[in-house]
Amino acid sequence: MSISLIGVTTGPTGPTGPTGPTGATGAAGAILGINTQTGTTYTLVAGDLNDLVTLSNAGGITLTVPPSVFSANDTVNIAQFGAGQVTLAQGAGVTINSTGATATAPKLRARWSSASIICTASNTFLVVGDIE
């Protein structure tokens, strides 16, 4: 059985309501941007937080993790895009821990290798990923 309303019409659409509040920041570990570096040295900056820093050069690249820039739970992701091997270096007062052959100065293993640099405490970092 169907019911039909004769003589009933739909009224005009009302105005659009106000825009809602801005949502929360994305989940931790999400990559928010890409910072492309092509030199043979680079020192991480606060703007690299939650970014992917790509490092590409034919020669070796030294990536320095500086003191007093990152806080516990902050993460920076890195990737070696060129032939030049990326070696991490401790800035003054910084401690790097890793499973690399040289635990405090790990290297990305090969072109297209990547790793995460995680601040575990003030000026203390853990490097995990495709390292040697």
Side-chain angles (χ1 to χ4, degrees), residues 65-77:
V65 180
S68 306
V69 173
F70 301 103
S71 300
N73 303 318
D74 286 352
T75 301
V76 175
N77 300 290

Side-chain angles (χ1 to χ4, degrees), residues 80-102:
Q80 179 180 318
F81 275 29
Q85 189 173 36
V86 176
T87 302
L88 278 75
Q90 301 174 128
V94 167
T95 300
I96 292 176
N97 298 297
S98 76
T99 59
T102 304

Side-chain angles (χ1 to χ4, degrees), residues 25-83:
T25 301
I31 293 176
L32 301 180
I34 296 177
N35 176 358
T36 303
Q37 295 296 315
T38 58
T40 57
T41 63
Y42 181 67
T43 299
L44 295 174
V45 296
D48 293 324
L49 176 64
N50 296 322
D51 278 358
L52 173 63
V53 177
T54 63
L55 302 137
S56 181
N57 195 291
I61 302 166
T62 300
L63 176 70
T64 302
V65 180
S68 306
V69 173
F70 301 103
S71 300
N73 303 318
D74 286 352
T75 301
V76 175
N77 300 290
I78 61 171
Q80 179 180 318
F81 275 29

Side-chain angles (χ1 to χ4, degrees), residues 9-26:
T9 59
T10 302
T13 301
T16 301
T19 301
T22 301
T25 301

